[in-house]
Amino acid sequence: MPIIKPITDLRDNFNYIAEICHMEGEPVFITKNGHEDLVVMSHAYYEKQQAIIESYQKLAAAEKESSDPSTPKIEHAELMNKLRSRILEKKLPIK
């Protein structure tokens, strides 16, 4: 359930709003004259949201690239074999 507070709480009880943001791990929606105005969130929550957005952007770019007919394709088994070979190469001591 969203946390909604009037703007007077932000002005008069900033520490309380900050505590809610940190304890609940959710943003607090601030209203002004009964209408939505601001969203206040902890830095950790903001960073989490930014990471999610970045992941979706990367997935969209990968999907676009994979749907391009000119992009070379590789079978799953072949890819897994290449990855396993790379991992094993890094684990083997250099003589």
Side-chain angles (χ1 to χ4, degrees), residues 25-41:
E26 295 289 328
V28 175
F29 297 90
I30 306 295
T31 61
K32 183 176 182 180
N33 298 323
H35 300 283
E36 65 250 1
D37 189 40
L38 300 170
V39 178
V40 179
M41 64 184 78

Side-chain angles (χ1 to χ4, degrees), residues 1 3-4 18 41 46 48 50-51 57 70 82 84 89:
M1 167 103 15
I3 303 166
I4 302 170
M41 64 184 78
Y46 173 79
K48 180 180 172 184
Q50 291 302 112
Q57 288 171 338
S70 66
K82 285 183 178 184
R84 285 186 186 100
E89 286 173 10

Side-chain angles (χ1 to χ4, degrees), residues 60-78:
E63 191 170 317
K64 182 179 178 184
E65 183 180 331
S66 72
S67 66
D68 183 356
S70 66
T71 303
K73 306 292 189 257
I74 184 170
E75 292 293 322
H76 176 74
E78 184 181 347

Side-chain angles (χ1 to χ4, degrees), residues 5-15 17 30 38:
K5 298 289 179 186
I7 200 160
T8 54
D9 278 4
L10 183 62
R11 181 188 66 218
D12 299 339
N13 301 311
F14 175 78
N15 289 334
I17 299 293
I30 306 295
L38 300 170

Side-chain angles (χ1 to χ4, degrees), residues 13-26:
N13 301 311
F14 175 78
N15 289 334
Y16 171 68
I17 299 293
E19 185 178 324
I20 291 173
C21 290
H22 290 287
M23 297 295 287
E24 298 294 326
E26 295 289 328

